Amino acid sequence: ERDELRLFYNHRFSTRLRGYLGFYGIRDESVTQIGIFVPREYVTGSVGLEWRFKQAWALAGELSNARQKFRGDPDFADGTAFRASV
């Protein structure tokens, strides 16, 4: 069984500049007591900007963070990324 929540906000600051915020979260649960499936929670968030300097060319950057936790494990996995593109 999976529960999901997705949120995304896109804002145009000008004709050449736009920004966005995003959030994605899931929770996985086993549907039966038999099996090796381990329930988990996963969330990720991102923020980004895109500047269009020509009609067909744009410079974009995004910062994102993800976190995952398995039930029964006291630790969690965490990662941060930055992406730039033309």
Side-chain angles (χ1 to χ4, degrees), residues 70-85:
F70 290 97
R71 185 174 298 154
D73 187 354
D75 295 326
F76 58 87
D78 189 27
T80 302
F82 177 75
R83 179 182 59 93
S85 61

Side-chain angles (χ1 to χ4, degrees), residues 8-11 18-22 46-50 61-62 83:
F8 192 80
Y9 176 72
N10 191 5
H11 182 76
R18 76 174 185 97
Y20 60 89
L21 296 169
S46 61
V47 59
L49 284 174
E50 179 183 280
E62 177 183 278
R83 179 182 59 93

Side-chain angles (χ1 to χ4, degrees), residues 6-73:
R6 295 176 189 230
L7 302 170
F8 192 80
Y9 176 72
N10 191 5
H11 182 76
R12 182 174 297 266
F13 296 105
S14 70
T15 56
R16 294 181 177 245
L17 183 65
R18 76 174 185 97
Y20 60 89
L21 296 169
F23 173 81
Y24 175 57
I26 63 171
R27 186 182 67 201
D28 289 330
E29 297 285 338
S30 179
V31 292
T32 66
Q33 298 295 71
I34 303 170
I36 60 170
F37 182 80
V38 178
R40 72 173 180 147
E41 293 178 355
Y42 175 83
V43 294
T44 183
S46 61
V47 59
L49 284 174
E50 179 183 280
W51 175 58
R52 188 155 298 279
F53 56 92
K54 295 283 187 184
Q55 185 175 357
W57 290 89
L59 179 63
E62 177 183 278
L63 179 65
S64 62
N65 185 286
R67 179 175 283 194
Q68 177 172 264
K69 176 146 182 17
F70 290 97
R71 185 174 298 154
D73 187 354

